[in-house]
Amino acid sequence: MISQKKYQALFMLFGLISSAILPGCKDNVDLPDQPLENYVNVYMPQGINGPVTANLKVKENLVQTVVFGADYGGYGYPDADVPVSFAVDNSLVATYNGANKTSYQVLPSGAYTLSATSSVIPKGKLATAPLKVSFKTTGTGAITAFTTYLLPITVSCPTVKVRESLKTVYYIVTALPDLADYPNFDRSKFSIVDFSSQEANGEGPNNGRAVFVLDGVNTTFWHSQWQNGTASPPHYLTVDMGELKTFHGLSFLTRQTNDNGKPNEVNLKLSTDNVTWTDYGILNLANTQNLQSVFFPSGFNKQARYFKVTINSSYGSNVTHLAELYAF
């Protein structure tokens, strides 16, 4: 048995422990009401990882799409259909560019189609059916190849709060052609109508002159003048394709030796009449004997009969040379 004195001591100890532990439970705590609406929201899940990149091909009759839609998030499932609407908000392009130091263009309205601008998150479900944006990369109103666009698609909802951070999905859209889809033009009507210089004698009777870039023989070549005075860059050739063509790019085959002088920086100009010319920029070729086919992005899909190639610099020399020159 526990003596009366020991019992009194234990009772006092229990009282001290109780007073130390229980004060926090003494009073009821009133929590503010938390309506369910504060926990649920509508958002566009495609934007969770940031902008969505869409690299498209430039090809006729090819259906190319990206997906968009809306989800229901937060707590539980909707107990009624949740209507949502979608819209392209091009005013956000400038805001995005300013915030991210980019220079994306607004995608022209004729270059894309939304499969729908409204949908429903069904009762008891968490997402709309997938919707699609279809893109046009050829024909009238198509996306301009090599240009990067920004397409902002925004969701709105009249019955459920929209999560601001995922209200908009930004699609970064670029159409990039494939060289395999652009064979070189038939050159049977091609002719040289102008050149800066040529080596008419020093390379022998079947070499050195400008006409040899169109003869279809890889072992012959045009060479800028070096005998009796060396012609300084820039060096150029002007070619008449014989008829109006839709231009996309050029193919270069350098002299099939290891000599210095392979073209490095080249410039392109196009004309329909050999009088008025448009400059379509500069690009750099590799220091190689292999055939190099290159798009000139700003000259892509332009109408031209004449093209002028200017070689501003060459590898290891002030002279230059080419075995074959094609357009496509």
Side-chain angles (χ1 to χ4, degrees):
M1 293 182 60
I2 302 175
S3 66
Q4 185 175 1
K5 290 185 178 180
K6 288 183 177 181
Y7 180 85
Q8 290 175 342
L10 287 172
F11 184 82
M12 292 177 63
L13 178 61
F14 178 77
L16 290 172
I17 293 173
S18 298
S19 65
I21 294 176
L22 298 178
C25 301
K26 182 178 180 180
D27 300 317
N28 292 326
V29 177
D30 294 326
L31 295 175
D33 291 335
Q34 298 291 323
L36 183 61
E37 292 78 10
N38 290 351
Y39 292 97
V40 301
N41 56 76
V42 166
Y43 63 97
M44 296 188 72
Q46 294 78 21
I48 286 176
N49 295 318
V52 177
T53 299
N55 288 327
L56 310 174
K57 295 182 178 180
V58 179
K59 188 169 290 191
E60 292 184 13
N61 302 318
L62 177 64
V63 178
Q64 301 177 84
T65 63
V66 295
V67 173
F68 70 97
D71 280 9
Y72 179 94
Y75 176 82
Y77 293 81
D79 56 9
D81 288 350
V82 178
V84 290
S85 298
F86 302 93
V88 173
D89 187 354
N90 284 324
S91 69
L92 297 176
V93 174
T95 303
Y96 184 97
N97 284 334
N100 295 279
K101 296 181 171 58
T102 52
S103 55
Y104 300 134
Q105 302 296 305
V106 172
L107 187 60
S109 60
Y112 65 92
T113 303
L114 273 60
S115 62
T117 56
S118 62
S119 188
V120 170
I121 301 174
K123 174 183 176 180
K125 302 292 184 180
L126 295 177
T128 62
L131 306 177
K132 294 181 179 180
V133 186
S134 301
F135 297 100
K136 184 178 182 181
T137 61
T138 62
T140 304
I143 293 171
T144 300
F146 302 102
T147 300
T148 304
Y149 300 94
L150 191 66
L151 180 67
I153 300 180
T154 297
V155 66
S156 60
C157 179
T159 60
V160 176
K161 180 176 65 177
V162 174
R163 192 187 308 180
E164 282 298 317
S165 62
L166 290 174
K167 180 180 180 180
T168 302
V169 180
Y170 294 92
Y171 294 92
I172 299 172
V173 181
T174 310
L176 299 172
D178 186 342
L179 284 168
D181 295 328
Y182 298 89
N184 292 323
F185 294 141
D186 173 13
R187 296 185 297 171
S188 59
K189 295 182 181 180
F190 281 27
S191 61
I192 301 292
V193 294
D194 194 17
F195 55 85
S196 53
S197 75
Q198 62 181 7
E199 184 47 58
N201 300 303
E203 297 292 345
N206 295 315
N207 266 321
R209 299 191 299 280
V211 293
F212 290 115
V213 300
L214 300 177
D215 68 352
V217 180
N218 292 353
T219 55
T220 62
F221 55 88
W222 162 61
H223 201 295
S224 61
Q225 181 184 344
W226 55 263
Q227 193 176 68
N228 299 322
T230 300
S232 299
H235 308 286
Y236 67 83
L237 293 170
T238 303
V239 177
D240 178 3
M241 294 186 286
E243 60 188 8
L244 200 66
K245 292 183 178 292
T246 301
F247 181 93
H248 304 101
L250 296 171
S251 296
F252 299 84
L253 184 70
T254 66
R255 182 180 179 180
Q256 296 298 283
T257 66
N258 289 322
D259 296 79
N260 288 331
K262 295 178 179 63
N264 179 359
E265 184 183 275
V266 296
N267 169 255
L268 170 71
K269 292 184 175 67
L270 297 178
S271 175
T272 57
D273 57 8
N274 200 23
V275 175
T276 302
W277 291 86
T278 302
D279 192 322
Y280 287 106
I282 290 170
L283 55 75
N284 291 90
L285 300 178
N287 187 10
T288 178
Q289 293 172 220
N290 298 327
L291 181 70
Q292 298 181 72
S293 297
V294 292
F295 292 115
F296 279 81
S298 60
F300 187 84
N301 256 0
K302 298 298 188 291
Q303 296 296 300
R305 173 170 172 168
Y306 301 86
F307 66 87
K308 180 177 182 179
V309 176
T310 301
I311 301 169
N312 293 327
S313 65
S314 303
Y315 287 99
S317 179
N318 280 331
V319 301
T320 198
H321 43 74
L322 271 178
E324 294 293 310
L325 179 61
Y326 303 87
F328 57 85

